[in-house]
Amino acid sequence: MSSSRLIKCLSSNNYIVRSFSKSSIPTTPTPDFPGEYKEPIVKTQIPGPQSKALIERLNKLQDPRAAHFFADYANSRGNYISDVDGNILLDLYCQIASIPIGYNNPELIKAAKSDRWVSAIINRPSLGVLPPKDWPALIENSFMQVSPKGLNQVFTAMCGSCANECAYKAVFMHYQHVKRGGKPFTPEELSSCMKNQEPGSPSLSILSFKKGFHGRTFGTLSTTRSKAIHKLDIPAFDWPAATFPDLKYPLAEHAKENREIEDRCLQEVEQLIKTWHIPVAGIIVEPIQAEGGDNYATPYFFQGLRDITKKHGVSMIVDEVQTGMGATGKFWAHEHWNLTSPPDIVTFSKKMQAAGFYHNLDYRPSESYRNFNTWMGDPVRALELEVVIGEIKKNHLLDNVVITGNYLKDGLFDIAARYPGLIQNIRGEGTFLAIDFPTPAERDRVISHIRLLGVEMGGCGERSIRFRPMLVCQPSHINQFLNRFDQTMKELYKN
Amino acid sequence: MSSSRLIKCLSSNNYIVRSFSKSSIPTTPTPDFPGEYKEPIVKTQIPGPQSKALIERLNKLQDPRAAHFFADYANSRGNYISDVDGNILLDLYCQIASIPIGYNNPELIKAAKSDRWVSAIINRPSLGVLPPKDWPALIENSFMQVSPKGLNQVFTAMCGSCANECAYKAVFMHYQHVKRGGKPFTPEELSSCMKNQEPGSPSLSILSFKKGFHGRTFGTLSTTRSKAIHKLDIPAFDWPAATFPDLKYPLAEHAKENREIEDRCLQEVEQLIKTWHIPVAGIIVEPIQAEGGDNYATPYFFQGLRDITKKHGVSMIVDEVQTGMGATGKFWAHEHWNLTSPPDIVTFSKKMQAAGFYHNLDYRPSESYRNFNTWMGDPVRALELEVVIGEIKKNHLLDNVVITGNYLKDGLFDIAARYPGLIQNIRGEGTFLAIDFPTPAERDRVISHIRLLGVEMGGCGERSIRFRPMLVCQPSHINQFLNRFDQTMKELYKN
């Protein structure tokens, strides 16, 4: 999708009030999920009595306070998650945006029982030391099938936080390598790093954006700026944070104003790079700030970032942990930008199931064992990625995402029109959509209420609901959501 | 094993020169591994031509420089790893100490094909939000079957680095919670942490030991002190490092001298806690410094650490990522110490396959979502742990480790006696053994040479070889190693 199409999508308002009846549902090139439920089934409160008993039992062993309910995964199918009390919910949150092609996908079941998968699971290799014989072929058939344009190397890791941590390390090593002009390490560097002191442990920084989220380990948490609860009591590096554009939606209706906002933010980024008391080696940015509230910027802004980073010799890391793998209608959200040169690093996890980052040879460290660990990822997750990519291509799931996303967005505009001021800032790309409510309490009330009607959803930012359906979510599923959302709004606001 | 037995083991020198013939091999209560190879088979150079071609191919996609060879895992069995050139090697390194019960273990194969495993793999949950219905029971049947005495909670994670990162977070949250006397966060804390500034992002430290290794992410790397290559060019927290005892082996022959060394080290730890310019919230220590050279301290030292940490309100983290899960003849190496009160936190990964840390309720954060992430570990690895623990118990693998380890140690003393000054500092517990060579080059030459005779091994520290066989390694396997080690020494040193 071109940038003009992106802006058009984000500003679409040609909705009409509809009844969300079966006849109005568009079809997609994607086949129905085999054996899926017809619609949500709610039998008890959620969490129900069995979930509550299990929460009590888990509490003796582990912190259960974030649990929505206990799931019965054997009984879950496609877009529907089952709980232990026999409730069947339409899942639009999908394990914090990490299920790509449906619960109990038959192709994944078949593959998981194969000797190849079984061997990968039980003979877990140290991939850096003793890689399996099919590892290069598997990389070609999985990661490289969807490698971002211009990046031909992949570093594999275990999760999104580790992907970003290792990306930061690659950026710092690259920065110092350039600085020392390829010369070997000095004796001072070799000895001082053992004391965590300069010059071996240099004072360098990664610039991130306010409201950004990049993980919870010590490096990534120093760049996460979404919520205090993630950061309180944890020591952090004194790294700079720039303001992310706080744009007005629909974007196209506020193009001039938004451009001014983005220009100010770009100026701030450049100013921070020039003046921060610790040199900025890299910046990290999400294409859409997800955990921080589904905040958008335009391709103009990201091209500006690329220009500034190029100008100042700063690496540009695009964090596609949540946006990658199709939810915006393209494999990578940054494809919507048409950058004049690729980002230096693109990180991934979640719906990829396998985690890591793409890069080029200039971000391979000068020696081996420098960006390294015991497992270096997990080959079974690369095998899973191979199946997921195959399904996306065979079943035209990116086309499905565009059709389903447009249908969802239209439906949201329909309902919002009947609740002026309550449902705000409908925005997004593909099925990666979000809406705002006036207050956090109202947002939370809607999520709790619609769960009791059989839809599992999640919030983000202060007062947003984020839509994170699977790539196999079709307009018919969205219709079930829209009817229940309509009902929720009626019941809560007596309209 | 009591501490006196530990010291006796570490100081054992009642070896006799033997021929490593079949008749001298002790038996263990552990059954032979089904369908295992009889001995190593070497057909080509290692890496052979097919491994070399694959290294070339991988180089186009990923850094291959640390690869020893490409493995054929389908063809590997028990203690033997197969490479792509048809060589069969006795594996005494085991994917950097992380394979517990043998390649293609039949019980793991059977379990991996079960519906329960398949569902866990392909329906990957966000364990903190939507745990599977069998999660509490699975925790009870896996992690809690081997929980260290005195610790009844488990935090699950994806790898050893993340286990330690999250443990540090738990320690910092605990420290601040105690400091603020349970009071709520102040507005200053809530706002300052978003800027990575005090008081919300406090200046606190974790004390670690020189030569220690705890991971490679930014928090853990700040506590890793084993080698410069891991740390160069990466910004680090200004945290203190104490001297780990550099004891003389055999320990019992140098008891007085060693005690003085340990006393000096304990004084240094206390001095650092009292005087470091950043308050010390926790210390982390390996029971045996593994990556840093298999360095030992006595139970006296660890009890001293426990006393000092208790006295100063500092949390004690024991990093059992490499030592845990049976290799010392007990599930946890710190069981050998008989501490007067348990450590506050014990971290694990590697042979557990599942990663995380044990703790008590006082290290559960005050609110949910504070020590959190998308996946919170991987249930399939807990399922694997369940099988591994079952096999350890059913097949008496801890007894096997003690018998095999003693046999290995005796054999090493035999050979060392014929190469005085060349093979030094034979030391260890269970099969967690190590030897030193006079120089790094000599150590590397031995490892390279014995690989060509069909034994896969790994180094540690500057000039050590570490033995990290599986728990299913028997004296008969060790005999194969000893004969090849003997041959290696003869061929390299013409004795």
Side-chain angles (χ1 to χ4, degrees), chain B residues 11 53 75 83 95 150 152 190 213 234 297 307 326 413 420 467 469:
Chain B
S11 63
N75 207 32
D83 77 0
Q95 314 293 335
N152 61 23
L190 289 162
F213 182 93
I234 311 300
D307 293 341
F413 275 112
F467 294 87

Side-chain angles (χ1 to χ4, degrees), chain A residues 128-129 155-156 162-186 189-190 192-194 199-202 204 357 359 361-374 376, chain B residues 63-67 96 161 213 215-218 220-222 224 226-235 291:
Chain A
V129 181
F155 182 98
T156 46
C162 285
N164 282 340
E165 291 267 323
C166 292
Y168 297 176
K169 289 175 67 172
V171 161
F172 289 129
M173 289 177 197
H174 173 78
Y175 187 91
Q176 292 295 87
H177 184 75
V178 170
K179 191 175 162 192
R180 68 169 73 83
K183 282 187 207 139
F185 303 116
T186 65
E189 285 174 326
L190 289 162
S192 60
C193 76
M194 300 307 287
S201 303
L204 295 173
F357 63 89
H359 62 102
L361 267 183
D362 44 352
Y363 285 82
R364 182 186 286 185
S366 57
E367 280 88 27
S368 58
Y369 291 111
R370 297 189 65 196
N371 217 349
F372 194 79
N373 54 61
T374 298
M376 300 291 286
Chain B
D63 185 354
R65 286 171 295 177
I96 319 182
S161 275
F213 182 93
R216 295 165 176 271
T217 43
F218 282 77
T220 60
L221 192 61
S222 290
T224 284
S226 57
K227 288 170 195 151
I229 196 72
H230 308 323
K231 292 173 71 71
L232 282 156
D233 293 348
I234 311 300
E291 218 277 322

Side-chain angles (χ1 to χ4, degrees), chain A residues 296-419:
Chain A
Y296 283 78
T298 72
Y300 169 82
F301 175 73
F302 293 105
Q303 180 62 53
L305 282 185
R306 176 73 287 195
D307 293 341
I308 291 168
T309 51
K310 280 273 181 196
K311 179 177 165 190
H312 293 281
V314 168
S315 299
M316 180 175 179
I317 307 169
V318 177
D319 179 341
E320 293 247 26
V321 167
Q322 189 155 166
T323 51
M325 209 56 189
T328 67
K330 292 187 180 284
F331 274 113
W332 304 104
H334 79 266
E335 291 177 63
H336 295 289
W337 306 339
N338 293 309
L339 291 183
T340 51
S341 65
D344 298 300
I345 284 177
V346 174
T347 65
F348 57 86
S349 183
K350 289 199 184 259
K351 272 197 291 297
M352 295 274 280
Q353 295 287 306
F357 63 89
Y358 294 97
H359 62 102
N360 275 328
L361 267 183
D362 44 352
Y363 285 82
R364 182 186 286 185
S366 57
E367 280 88 27
S368 58
Y369 291 111
R370 297 189 65 196
N371 217 349
F372 194 79
N373 54 61
T374 298
W375 286 318
M376 300 291 286
D378 189 342
V380 77
R381 298 304 172 186
L383 287 167
E384 192 171 1
L385 178 61
E386 190 181 33
V387 175
V388 170
I389 292 170
E391 287 295 287
I392 290 174
K393 291 185 174 177
K394 187 178 82 187
N395 293 328
H396 312 284
L397 293 180
L398 298 189
D399 294 338
N400 178 66
V401 163
V402 173
I403 294 167
T404 301
N406 285 336
Y407 186 70
L408 171 55
K409 192 185 280 181
D410 287 347
L412 291 169
F413 275 112
D414 281 353
I415 296 175
R418 281 182 271 129
Y419 299 91

Side-chain angles (χ1 to χ4, degrees), chain A residues 59 65 68 71 73 95 104 123 126 129-130 153 165 180 196 200 216 218 231 233 237 364-365 372, chain B residues 59-60 65 68 73 95 104 123 126 129-130 165 180 193 196 200 216 218 231 233 237 364-365 372:
Chain A
N59 188 40
R65 287 171 295 178
H68 293 179
Y73 289 105
Q95 314 292 336
N104 288 301
N123 301 313
S126 177
V129 181
L130 297 167
Q153 299 273 308
E165 291 267 323
R180 68 169 73 83
N196 294 6
R216 294 166 176 271
F218 282 77
K231 292 173 71 71
D233 294 347
F237 291 107
R364 182 186 286 185
F372 194 79
Chain B
N59 188 41
K60 297 195 176 81
R65 286 171 295 177
H68 294 178
Y73 289 105
Q95 314 293 335
N104 287 301
N123 300 313
S126 177
V129 182
L130 296 168
E165 291 268 322
R180 66 169 72 85
C193 77
N196 294 5
R216 295 165 176 271
F218 282 77
K231 292 173 71 71
D233 293 348
F237 290 109
R364 184 186 283 186
F372 193 80

Side-chain angles (χ1 to χ4, degrees), chain B residues 432-477:
Chain B
F432 201 103
L433 302 178
I435 52 178
D436 291 346
F437 287 85
T439 65
E442 276 167 299
R443 184 266 316 270
D444 294 345
R445 199 161 68 126
V446 168
I447 290 177
S448 297
H449 195 92
I450 203 167
R451 185 173 296 142
L452 299 180
L453 300 177
V455 184
E456 168 70 359
M457 306 198 71
C460 65
E462 286 300 304
R463 55 191 183 93
S464 306
I465 287 178
R466 55 178 149 177
F467 294 87
R468 297 293 183 270
M470 303 163 192
L471 308 179
V472 295
C473 182
Q474 302 207 13
S476 57
H477 302 109

Side-chain angles (χ1 to χ4, degrees), chain B residues 235-287:
Chain B
F237 290 109
D238 189 14
W239 292 351
T243 308
F244 192 82
D246 185 12
L247 302 187
K248 294 206 164 30
Y249 305 96
L251 297 181
E253 288 179 19
H254 304 86
K256 183 163 177 289
E257 210 175 336
N258 285 341
R259 174 63 58 98
E260 285 166 11
I261 294 170
E262 291 191 329
D263 278 331
R264 277 201 302 275
C265 289
L266 289 170
Q267 282 161 21
E268 185 185 334
V269 169
E270 187 160 24
Q271 193 61 19
L272 281 168
I273 289 173
K274 283 189 199 163
T275 61
W276 192 254
H277 66 104
I278 300 172
V280 176
I283 72 164
I284 185 162
V285 67
E286 295 159 280

Side-chain angles (χ1 to χ4, degrees), chain A residues 435-449:
Chain A
I435 53 178
D436 292 346
F437 287 85
T439 65
E442 274 166 299
R443 183 268 314 270
D444 293 346
R445 200 161 67 124
V446 167
I447 290 177
S448 297
H449 196 91

